[in-house]
Amino acid sequence: MNGFLPISRSDMEERGIKQFDFVYITGDAYVDHPSFGVAIISRVLEDLGYTVGIISQPDWKSDRDFKRFGRPKLAFLVTAGNIDSMVAHYTAAKRKRSDDAYTPGGKAGKRPDRAVIVYCKKIREIYGDVPIAIGGLEASLRRFAHYDYWDDCVRPSILVESMADILMFGMGEHQITELAHRLSHGEDIREIHDVRGTCYLTEPVNTPIGAAECPSFEQVRDNKKLYAKACRQQYDQQDEVYGKTVIQRHGKMMLVQNPPALSLTTEELDHVYSLPYMRTYHPSYESMGGVPGIKEVQFSITHNRGCFGYCNFCSIALHQGRRVTCRSEESILEEAKKLTEMSGFKGYIHDVGGPTANFRKPSCEKQMKLGLCKGKKCLAPEPCPNLDVDHREYIDILRKLRNIKGVKKVFIRSGIRYDYLMEDESDEFIKELIKNHVSGQLKVAPEHCSAAVLDKMGKPHIEAYKKFQQKFYAITKGMGKEQYLVPYLMSSHPGSTLKEAIDLAVFLKEHNMRPEQVQDFYPTPGTLSTCMFYTGYDPYTMEEVYVPKTPEEKKMQRTLLQYFKPENKKIVISALKKAGRHDLIGYGKNCLVTPENGRNETRAVNGRKSGKAKNNGIRKKKKR
């Protein structure tokens, strides 16, 4: 037997298991690595003494795969995988993707659209009233009535559509532990209504007292202002200290979200990451080309969870939460030593990070007792005066990792919050970063230059990036290194008109920045930015927000950020003309593009038609 959990009937029989406690169905290939939620939850259950069978990427058009292990003793667990199945299948332009990083050989089409719903319905069809618990990103971010970009409509909670019994949102270790114990002691899953970090449906008469009620599914479906109001209410209750139970009516049923699960302590995180992961994909995938998604994480270390950066377009606040928790130094170093013993390790640790690499502690002491400030951000538009900035522990860990026998280099490839870094009175971390942990390029995310757009993104203003950029290149030059910043930029975010997109293009030209990739805003389920995209309102101010929606304008905004590409010239000129920015078409040093038809067009945009000027010249010549 290999060290993986059972994936076949023969694996089950070989272990002498007659019936699994849990059967885990996932839309991803089976990868036993702690960067994959299925690996963590299944290993936690195994550690508690429960048996788990894994069914990865079952054929949803047949019953065969779903019958592989038969009915579990306690419950089916269902997840779409590491990302939402619709995001896995479609680009921001709603075009079908040609590959899937979480499938053997990178092959697309091995999971259905809306995988959680499809899998659960198939289980119900075969097994009737068997207990079903859903979790993972797809379920977590669709737990309330939500705008669905691909259908361009508001869909009900995924609990309603999937017909599952309970939904575990966020990081699920605490939830699955309590749920497993209570199911094993004979409790009915349909009666388990008090586990933090879970949602359930009940008849309105059983609605818990004192809950925060947001507008119903029917109301948010029909009224965009009420949708925005509901979105704010849901976010305001996502703190584990003061978060209330949240309820939302769905027809004749009431959706109940219990307060968020408590964050894992350092000791608990250490234990979770010490479990016996194989740290790779199942060997049965080798002949298919392996699973591409393992490449970036196989030799990486996750040292923290949560992010108080709280960007509006990011799902972390609603999923992992804003409170930062971290593993101990000992746990991280122990994992690094395991990496050096692995086949294929060549001396390079690819990352020591998490949602944000340089967060090792909560943003301030106050939040430990009072929670994170409701409706406010720790870093935007400016850093909070109470922000506690300290990189010393992270620096110490990185230094010790570099000294482990067999380690040649330790990279940091997770996002670095440069605005947090710039608040550090000491330059020690940025110097360590540049000297030891950058491989020629450092990826950072200013996202935009317009204050109006950045405010809608929940990001700091561009001045913070300019200061960081100046310091980065000054230190880099002083060390005699040639390293560069690679900025992540986003086009067509709510609040961005064509004017703001042009301002960003001009900013890029002024700063000699030529982005290789540009991300068009993607309205993924559950985020504040998606709420703005759908409703046209900022849920925290209820002010109207401009939203670029037509394919034509979105293409213009995206193309402007790569104005320098010859193939983009025609669209850039069209965008500049539409915005009345003829001054940016020409041969001057501040122009973005040269005229499409040579110098004659330059005269035309200056108010003189080239043909008329030529005729006048001819007439004057004849008169003379």
PDB file of all heavy atoms in Angstrom, residues 17 46 102 188 203 231 244 251 274 277 411 458 526 588 594 601 621:
ATOM      1  N   ILE A  17     -11.236  -2.413   4.976  1.00  0.00           N
ATOM      2  CA  ILE A  17     -12.339  -1.508   5.315  1.00  0.00           C
ATOM      3  C   ILE A  17     -13.606  -1.992   4.606  1.00  0.00           C
ATOM      4  O   ILE A  17     -13.628  -2.151   3.389  1.00  0.00           O
ATOM      5  CB  ILE A  17     -12.013  -0.058   4.881  1.00  0.00           C
ATOM      6  CG1 ILE A  17     -10.749   0.434   5.600  1.00  0.00           C
ATOM      7  CG2 ILE A  17     -13.191   0.875   5.176  1.00  0.00           C
ATOM      8  CD1 ILE A  17     -10.216   1.755   5.063  1.00  0.00           C
ATOM      9  N   GLU A  46      -8.567  11.405   9.249  1.00  0.00           N
ATOM     10  CA  GLU A  46      -7.759  10.202   9.471  1.00  0.00           C
ATOM     11  C   GLU A  46      -7.060  10.267  10.825  1.00  0.00           C
ATOM     12  O   GLU A  46      -7.024   9.283  11.572  1.00  0.00           O
ATOM     13  CB  GLU A  46      -6.730  10.060   8.350  1.00  0.00           C
ATOM     14  CG  GLU A  46      -5.827   8.843   8.487  1.00  0.00           C
ATOM     15  CD  GLU A  46      -4.653   8.885   7.530  1.00  0.00           C
ATOM     16  OE1 GLU A  46      -3.985   9.929   7.446  1.00  0.00           O
ATOM     17  OE2 GLU A  46      -4.391   7.859   6.885  1.00  0.00           O
ATOM     18  N   TYR A 102      -5.813  21.596 -12.244  1.00  0.00           N
ATOM     19  CA  TYR A 102      -6.102  20.644 -11.177  1.00  0.00           C
ATOM     20  C   TYR A 102      -6.588  19.290 -11.700  1.00  0.00           C
ATOM     21  O   TYR A 102      -7.190  18.507 -10.967  1.00  0.00           O
ATOM     22  CB  TYR A 102      -7.133  21.238 -10.212  1.00  0.00           C
ATOM     23  CG  TYR A 102      -6.622  22.483  -9.533  1.00  0.00           C
ATOM     24  CD1 TYR A 102      -7.032  23.748  -9.938  1.00  0.00           C
ATOM     25  CD2 TYR A 102      -5.693  22.398  -8.495  1.00  0.00           C
ATOM     26  CE1 TYR A 102      -6.540  24.892  -9.321  1.00  0.00           C
ATOM     27  CE2 TYR A 102      -5.193  23.535  -7.880  1.00  0.00           C
ATOM     28  CZ  TYR A 102      -5.625  24.774  -8.300  1.00  0.00           C
ATOM     29  OH  TYR A 102      -5.133  25.907  -7.693  1.00  0.00           O
ATOM     30  N   ASP A 188     -28.316  13.302  14.361  1.00  0.00           N
ATOM     31  CA  ASP A 188     -28.831  13.486  13.003  1.00  0.00           C
ATOM     32  C   ASP A 188     -28.243  14.775  12.427  1.00  0.00           C
ATOM     33  O   ASP A 188     -28.351  15.843  13.048  1.00  0.00           O
ATOM     34  CB  ASP A 188     -30.359  13.568  13.055  1.00  0.00           C
ATOM     35  CG  ASP A 188     -30.996  13.615  11.669  1.00  0.00           C
ATOM     36  OD1 ASP A 188     -30.306  13.979  10.694  1.00  0.00           O
ATOM     37  OD2 ASP A 188     -32.200  13.308  11.575  1.00  0.00           O
ATOM     38  N   GLU A 203     -37.043  25.623   8.868  1.00  0.00           N
ATOM     39  CA  GLU A 203     -38.321  26.316   8.735  1.00  0.00           C
ATOM     40  C   GLU A 203     -38.249  27.615   9.525  1.00  0.00           C
ATOM     41  O   GLU A 203     -37.646  27.665  10.606  1.00  0.00           O
ATOM     42  CB  GLU A 203     -39.455  25.433   9.241  1.00  0.00           C
ATOM     43  CG  GLU A 203     -39.665  24.193   8.384  1.00  0.00           C
ATOM     44  CD  GLU A 203     -40.821  23.341   8.881  1.00  0.00           C
ATOM     45  OE1 GLU A 203     -41.428  23.702   9.919  1.00  0.00           O
ATOM     46  OE2 GLU A 203     -41.118  22.329   8.231  1.00  0.00           O
ATOM     47  N   CYS A 231     -25.213  42.471   1.145  1.00  0.00           N
ATOM     48  CA  CYS A 231     -23.776  42.191   1.037  1.00  0.00           C
ATOM     49  C   CYS A 231     -23.016  42.813   2.207  1.00  0.00           C
ATOM     50  O   CYS A 231     -22.181  42.169   2.833  1.00  0.00           O
ATOM     51  CB  CYS A 231     -23.258  42.723  -0.291  1.00  0.00           C
ATOM     52  SG  CYS A 231     -21.505  42.423  -0.573  1.00  0.00           S
ATOM     53  N   LYS A 244     -22.345  37.991  14.412  1.00  0.00           N
ATOM     54  CA  LYS A 244     -23.615  37.384  14.825  1.00  0.00           C
ATOM     55  C   LYS A 244     -24.031  36.275  13.855  1.00  0.00           C
ATOM     56  O   LYS A 244     -23.495  36.157  12.751  1.00  0.00           O
ATOM     57  CB  LYS A 244     -24.723  38.440  14.834  1.00  0.00           C
ATOM     58  CG  LYS A 244     -24.588  39.531  15.865  1.00  0.00           C
ATOM     59  CD  LYS A 244     -25.798  40.469  15.748  1.00  0.00           C
ATOM     60  CE  LYS A 244     -25.740  41.588  16.779  1.00  0.00           C
ATOM     61  NZ  LYS A 244     -26.916  42.494  16.654  1.00  0.00           N
ATOM     62  N   GLY A 251     -37.667  31.687   0.117  1.00  0.00           N
ATOM     63  CA  GLY A 251     -38.984  31.092  -0.043  1.00  0.00           C
ATOM     64  C   GLY A 251     -39.579  30.669   1.285  1.00  0.00           C
ATOM     65  O   GLY A 251     -39.720  31.479   2.215  1.00  0.00           O
ATOM     66  N   SER A 274       1.674  19.029  10.272  1.00  0.00           N
ATOM     67  CA  SER A 274       2.586  17.926  10.580  1.00  0.00           C
ATOM     68  C   SER A 274       2.030  16.579  10.153  1.00  0.00           C
ATOM     69  O   SER A 274       2.715  15.556  10.263  1.00  0.00           O
ATOM     70  CB  SER A 274       2.866  17.885  12.091  1.00  0.00           C
ATOM     71  OG  SER A 274       1.709  17.424  12.805  1.00  0.00           O
ATOM     72  N   TYR A 277       1.261  14.004   4.938  1.00  0.00           N
ATOM     73  CA  TYR A 277       0.948  14.235   3.532  1.00  0.00           C
ATOM     74  C   TYR A 277       2.025  13.618   2.647  1.00  0.00           C
ATOM     75  O   TYR A 277       3.208  13.664   2.973  1.00  0.00           O
ATOM     76  CB  TYR A 277       0.883  15.742   3.245  1.00  0.00           C
ATOM     77  CG  TYR A 277      -0.074  16.500   4.126  1.00  0.00           C
ATOM     78  CD1 TYR A 277       0.391  17.214   5.238  1.00  0.00           C
ATOM     79  CD2 TYR A 277      -1.441  16.513   3.866  1.00  0.00           C
ATOM     80  CE1 TYR A 277      -0.479  17.915   6.056  1.00  0.00           C
ATOM     81  CE2 TYR A 277      -2.321  17.212   4.687  1.00  0.00           C
ATOM     82  CZ  TYR A 277      -1.835  17.908   5.780  1.00  0.00           C
ATOM     83  OH  TYR A 277      -2.703  18.591   6.587  1.00  0.00           O
ATOM     84  N   PHE A 411      12.837  31.432  -1.977  1.00  0.00           N
ATOM     85  CA  PHE A 411      12.143  32.508  -2.683  1.00  0.00           C
ATOM     86  C   PHE A 411      10.866  32.895  -1.941  1.00  0.00           C
ATOM     87  O   PHE A 411      10.312  32.107  -1.179  1.00  0.00           O
ATOM     88  CB  PHE A 411      11.772  32.071  -4.107  1.00  0.00           C
ATOM     89  CG  PHE A 411      12.961  31.797  -4.979  1.00  0.00           C
ATOM     90  CD1 PHE A 411      13.264  30.501  -5.373  1.00  0.00           C
ATOM     91  CD2 PHE A 411      13.774  32.832  -5.411  1.00  0.00           C
ATOM     92  CE1 PHE A 411      14.358  30.245  -6.183  1.00  0.00           C
ATOM     93  CE2 PHE A 411      14.867  32.592  -6.220  1.00  0.00           C
ATOM     94  CZ  PHE A 411      15.163  31.285  -6.614  1.00  0.00           C
ATOM     95  N   GLY A 458     -10.445  48.979  -2.545  1.00  0.00           N
ATOM     96  CA  GLY A 458      -9.999  48.808  -1.161  1.00  0.00           C
ATOM     97  C   GLY A 458      -8.493  48.741  -1.056  1.00  0.00           C
ATOM     98  O   GLY A 458      -7.949  48.121  -0.137  1.00  0.00           O
ATOM     99  N   GLY A 526     -19.480  36.375  -4.365  1.00  0.00           N
ATOM    100  CA  GLY A 526     -19.345  36.754  -2.965  1.00  0.00           C
ATOM    101  C   GLY A 526     -18.505  37.957  -2.622  1.00  0.00           C
ATOM    102  O   GLY A 526     -18.534  38.411  -1.485  1.00  0.00           O
ATOM    103  N   GLY A 588       4.992  63.035 -30.093  1.00  0.00           N
ATOM    104  CA  GLY A 588       5.617  63.633 -28.929  1.00  0.00           C
ATOM    105  C   GLY A 588       5.987  62.602 -27.885  1.00  0.00           C
ATOM    106  O   GLY A 588       5.475  61.483 -27.877  1.00  0.00           O
ATOM    107  N   THR A 594       1.560  56.407 -32.117  1.00  0.00           N
ATOM    108  CA  THR A 594       1.683  57.269 -33.298  1.00  0.00           C
ATOM    109  C   THR A 594       0.400  57.150 -34.112  1.00  0.00           C
ATOM    110  O   THR A 594      -0.353  56.179 -33.955  1.00  0.00           O
ATOM    111  CB  THR A 594       2.880  56.834 -34.158  1.00  0.00           C
ATOM    112  OG1 THR A 594       2.726  55.457 -34.501  1.00  0.00           O
ATOM    113  CG2 THR A 594       4.185  57.034 -33.404  1.00  0.00           C
ATOM    114  N   GLU A 601      -2.638  62.254 -40.192  1.00  0.00           N
ATOM    115  CA  GLU A 601      -3.631  62.107 -39.125  1.00  0.00           C
ATOM    116  C   GLU A 601      -3.311  63.034 -37.959  1.00  0.00           C
ATOM    117  O   GLU A 601      -4.194  63.530 -37.287  1.00  0.00           O
ATOM    118  CB  GLU A 601      -3.691  60.656 -38.642  1.00  0.00           C
ATOM    119  CG  GLU A 601      -4.823  60.427 -37.645  1.00  0.00           C
ATOM    120  CD  GLU A 601      -5.065  58.961 -37.369  1.00  0.00           C
ATOM    121  OE1 GLU A 601      -4.876  58.126 -38.254  1.00  0.00           O
ATOM    122  OE2 GLU A 601      -5.451  58.680 -36.237  1.00  0.00           O
ATOM    123  N   LYS A 621      -1.094  78.526 -55.330  1.00  0.00           N
ATOM    124  CA  LYS A 621      -0.026  78.426 -56.321  1.00  0.00           C
ATOM    125  C   LYS A 621      -0.513  78.876 -57.704  1.00  0.00           C
ATOM    126  O   LYS A 621       0.176  79.566 -58.436  1.00  0.00           O
ATOM    127  CB  LYS A 621       0.468  76.987 -56.376  1.00  0.00           C
ATOM    128  CG  LYS A 621       1.720  76.804 -57.218  1.00  0.00           C
ATOM    129  CD  LYS A 621       2.236  75.391 -57.088  1.00  0.00           C
ATOM    130  CE  LYS A 621       3.516  75.207 -57.866  1.00  0.00           C
ATOM    131  NZ  LYS A 621       4.024  73.822 -57.769  1.00  0.00           N
TER     132      LYS A 621
END
